[in-house]
Amino acid sequence: EVQLVESGGGLVQPGGSLRLSCAASGFTYTYYWMSWVRQAPGKGLEWVANIHQDGTEKYYVDSVKGRFTISRDNAKNSLYLQMNSLRAEDTAVYYCARLEVGGNPLFDNWGQGTLVTVSS
Amino acid sequence: DIQMTQSPSSLSASVGDRVTITCRASQVITNSLVWYQQKPGKAPKLLLYATSRLESGVPFRFSGRGSGTDYTLTISSLQPEDFATYYCQQYYSIPPTFGQGTKVEIK
């Protein structure tokens, strides 16, 4: 069974930093692109970033470029999102998601999410 | 970026009803469309991909069709467990973008 378990969310002040983690299990992690997708309270879904199987290719939504960094540790079957210079509009539930095996940016498995609140 | 517009934003229906949700892309996406179901407090769940292909384990009452810029999700006979919010998403180009969601409520 595919499992994705996020951690690291919490309350942070504007301008602060936070690092999210996602522990993956139940599948061959190195076969898959991975992603972060977020959802502001009461709002819709927004893709944040993707990372290639070996970590060499990364893509970001424009609103987080230069502030967020996606990375992975294949030895630990883990995905990360380093978030710097956080803004109120970054407040959201952040989901770790697996892209389908062909690498198309559609998400066939999701974690339960971790809430990030940016507020003073 | 490709904009995805869903309609309606919400609807009320009864168990057994046939329900159709529409998703329109701002440009041709060549069937690169998926549908997700999300229940309150839960992660989205993939229902269909490539417009009409059912994800494993998804009931056959869910179906999708469309082409070009216009796509639909149909639930042939609404069941109690289907009351949720549904999102379309295009994966034709980066960034992948979602519709704003359609909330299906009990009448």
Side-chain angles (χ1 to χ4, degrees), chain B residues 61-77:
Chain B
R61 62 181 180 273
F62 290 92
S63 64
R65 59 183 300 169
S67 63
T69 61
D70 295 328
Y71 298 84
T72 58
L73 170 71
T74 296
I75 309 171
S76 60
S77 178

Side-chain angles (χ1 to χ4, degrees), chain A residues 67-86:
Chain A
R67 300 188 300 123
F68 289 12
T69 301
I70 189 171
S71 63
R72 63 193 293 164
D73 184 336
N74 286 344
K76 295 182 177 179
N77 284 3
S78 292
L79 178 71
Y80 306 101
L81 186 67
Q82 177 66 44
M83 304 186 294
N84 299 330
S85 303
L86 282 160

